Amino acid sequence: MTGIVLYGFDGSTYVRTVRMLLAEKGAQYEQVAVNVLKGEPRQSEHMARHPFGKVPVLDHDGFRIIETGAIAPYLDEVLPGPSLTPDTSKDRARMRMAMGIVDSYGYGALIAVAGYHLFPDLIGGPDEEARKHAIVSSRRVLQELMKIRGGSAFIAGERPSLGDLYAAPICCLVSLTPDANEVFAVDGFARWWEQVQVMPSYQATAPRFGWDLLFAAAAAGRGVN
């Protein structure tokens, strides 16, 4: 397949989810940076792509898709290469539960932990009570993800799925903070995290610019409702 254009800043955790998927597929694509620090997601050029000013946005041969929850399954279906969707109905349900948990509960909690240490000004300033609440909520999210995973190597089976690609980028930000040990002290997490970090797609998509840009983008650029 050709003609893939990905709009979004490398620091966005949801953009990284899509980039990990493309790396898993070995797909060629063009990435157009949408610079959060310059306010580009809210400028008219990008608002024409995404009416709510979010990233990522994907163009594929003239077909435009917004929202990671639509982009990732689409690319997994149309691109050749290893499938990131499990084979069985139960494992597909596990994957979709993980994706929904990250979208609905995980991102907000985990980014609050990361933001307290890494980009406090972008989340309204340091708030110790909010930090403590976010740690508790983050642990609850990771506990549920590991419960879904059970005895499997990855969240929805013995090979990576879209559920792992959803969780990994936001966990990466938390791993850079002093609260990582407390947040990650969840049964089963350490084994999963070790396996995710050695995935070639995880290593290949590490942002290659200043951390200040990474943190700003991760705070402001997300592809969910």
Side-chain angles (χ1 to χ4, degrees):
M1 307 295 286
T2 59
I4 298 174
V5 181
L6 175 64
Y7 296 91
F9 214 27
D10 277 1
S12 162
T13 61
Y14 282 96
V15 170
R16 189 175 183 186
T17 292
V18 176
R19 293 177 66 228
M20 286 182 68
L21 189 156
L22 291 165
E24 289 285 335
K25 296 286 189 174
Q28 298 296 314
Y29 64 99
E30 176 188 358
Q31 184 172 346
V32 177
V34 179
N35 193 321
V36 172
L37 294 181
K38 295 181 180 179
E40 291 177 356
R42 293 292 180 177
Q43 293 176 2
S44 58
E45 182 178 4
H46 188 69
M47 293 290 285
R49 302 183 193 111
H50 194 305
F52 304 102
K54 301 295 185 180
V55 292
V57 174
L58 186 90
D59 278 349
H60 182 211
D61 289 338
F63 178 54
R64 178 161 292 169
I65 313 173
I66 65 173
E67 304 303 300
T68 308
I71 294 169
Y74 170 83
L75 289 175
D76 192 35
E77 181 177 345
V78 302
L79 292 177
S83 175
L84 291 157
T85 300
D87 296 329
T88 71
S89 297
K90 289 182 179 179
D91 285 347
R92 288 193 292 273
R94 292 164 70 194
M95 176 192 77
R96 290 166 183 150
M97 282 193 288
M99 294 166 68
I101 287 169
V102 171
D103 277 347
S104 298
Y105 317 109
Y107 184 93
L110 291 158
I111 206 68
V113 174
Y116 178 89
H117 298 283
L118 305 175
F119 37 86
D121 292 343
L122 292 173
I123 61 169
D127 183 327
E128 183 62 24
E129 288 304 312
R131 168 182 165 267
K132 292 178 181 178
H133 177 75
I135 289 172
V136 172
S137 297
S138 295
R139 285 175 53 84
R140 184 180 303 121
V141 165
L142 296 184
Q143 286 167 351
E144 189 60 29
L145 292 179
M146 292 304 105
K147 179 181 176 181
I148 292 169
R149 173 176 164 255
S152 300
F154 292 95
I155 285 176
E158 298 308 310
R159 55 185 173 84
S161 74
L162 298 179
D164 302 285
L165 271 57
Y166 257 62
I170 186 62
C171 287
C172 174
L173 287 187
V174 174
S175 74
L176 303 172
T177 75
D179 289 326
N181 288 341
E182 183 175 0
V183 173
F184 292 167
V186 169
D187 287 346
F189 181 85
R191 181 183 172 218
W192 174 81
W193 187 227
E194 288 172 0
Q195 293 179 130
V196 165
Q197 290 179 93
V198 299
M199 290 172 57
S201 62
Y202 179 88
Q203 297 179 355
T205 56
R208 295 181 176 86
F209 47 80
W211 286 114
D212 56 336
L213 303 185
L214 166 62
F215 300 147
R222 47 181 296 201
V224 296
N225 292 326

